Amino acid sequence: AQSVTQPDIHITVSEGASLELRCNYSYGATPYLFWYVQSPGQGLQLLLKYFSGDTLVQGIKGFEAEFKRSQSSFNLRKPSVHWSDAAEYFCAVAPGYSSASKIIFGSGTRLSIRP
Amino acid sequence: NAGVTQTPKFRVLKTGQSMTLLCAQDMNHEYMYWYRQDPGMGLRLIHYSVGEGTTAKGEVPDGYNVSRLKKQNFLLGLESAAPSQTSVYFCASSYGYWWQANPSNQPQHFGDGTRLSIL
């Protein structure tokens, strides 16, 4: 069965510092991979997605993620965080064959920004 | 363009009471989903629908029922609320085979959630 692991429950970084959020997935074939962000009291917003091709994908708000098949990872990065990046981040996976568009979410990483 | 709208936004129930959460989308999406979000557990799929008049169980369907009488609406019902159902509920919608139709499509569009407390 597919699964997604986000090993960090909570991360605090200083404003202006770089950020990397970890995500590992379990799936037999190449899945579709996503990162979502959830601001307090809001729904989920898609940051970026990976289907195939270039393993480094660019997203909105200056985020990027790199797909590494050998490590079954899809880590999210940002070179310099802003206070507005404080939110919860979810990594997710969807099997490519499914028409039902079911997505499996990780448990989330809460990001706090230190002034 | 409202996207996905959930009503109500907040609700407090007593154990044993019933209620219905409404999700409405105006994007003509075929697929709709109900999730619950609990601390440390991410989002878990309760039920989903791949078209008007169809529903299917997700990961955590027990204690919930759903209906999709109209394409744009997906209702989530709690017949006899229990404290374990205290959660934030999210509705989402999507095209079927969204990545084939247009890879730039979002896989799912989410509402802003309904915070439900069962006392």
Side-chain angles (χ1 to χ4, degrees):
Chain A
Q2 306 96 33
S3 65
V4 179
T5 302
Q6 293 180 248
D8 303 306
I9 297 174
H10 183 205
I11 286 180
T12 300
V13 299
S14 298
E15 189 168 16
S18 63
L19 170 71
E20 183 168 25
L21 302 182
R22 297 184 290 165
C23 173
N24 293 96
Y25 68 90
S26 173
Y27 183 62
T30 300
Y32 297 145
L33 295 160
F34 316 93
W35 275 98
Y36 282 85
V37 60
Q38 183 183 30
S39 298
Q42 302 294 314
L44 277 69
Q45 180 184 21
L46 183 69
L47 283 176
L48 49 79
K49 57 183 183 284
Y50 171 78
F51 291 165
S52 63
D54 193 345
T55 56
L56 184 64
V57 293
Q58 303 297 321
I60 61 172
K61 305 185 179 186
F63 286 92
E64 65 178 27
E66 186 172 12
F67 169 61
K68 293 185 176 180
R69 184 191 304 275
S70 61
Q71 299 177 18
S72 296
S73 69
F74 189 57
N75 294 349
L76 182 72
R77 301 194 294 249
K78 187 170 185 178
S80 177
V81 298
H82 185 262
W83 64 266
S84 60
D85 293 324
E88 187 139 22
Y89 292 80
F90 293 94
C91 182
V93 61
Y97 62 82
S98 171
S99 66
S101 299
K102 285 192 283 185
I103 294 178
I104 298 167
F105 289 87
S107 55
T109 298
R110 184 160 61 93
L111 175 65
S112 298
I113 306 297
R114 190 183 303 117
Chain B
N1 191 346
V4 179
T5 303
Q6 293 182 232
T7 52
K9 297 189 183 304
F10 304 94
R11 186 72 184 269
V12 178
L13 292 178
K14 294 181 180 179
T15 298
Q17 287 185 316
S18 63
M19 81 160 297
T20 300
L21 308 184
L22 171 63
C23 177
Q25 53 94 4
D26 61 3
M27 295 171 282
N28 202 33
H29 286 165
E30 291 89 1
Y31 295 170
M32 298 186 74
Y33 315 80
W34 275 107
Y35 294 90
R36 60 178 290 172
Q37 183 181 30
D38 302 293
M41 303 191 75
L43 275 74
R44 293 181 293 169
L45 184 64
I46 303 171
H47 286 281
Y48 65 100
S49 167
V50 299
E52 183 178 317
T54 73
T55 62
K57 294 180 179 179
E59 181 185 357
V60 288
D62 295 341
Y64 305 95
N65 57 76
V66 289
S67 64
R68 183 102 180 265
L69 300 179
K70 294 182 178 181
K71 184 177 184 179
Q72 64 268 32
N73 296 336
F74 195 31
L75 279 62
L76 177 70
L78 286 72
E79 290 186 349
S80 180
S84 61
Q85 294 177 305
T86 294
S87 188
V88 181
Y89 292 85
F90 286 97
C91 177
S93 69
S94 72
Y95 296 105
Y97 290 104
W98 50 268
W99 56 88
Q100 293 179 358
N102 185 345
S104 66
N105 285 341
Q106 287 206 34
Q108 291 183 12
H109 295 250
F110 284 84
D112 288 339
T114 295
R115 186 172 297 275
L116 183 61
S117 294
I118 316 294
L119 304 179

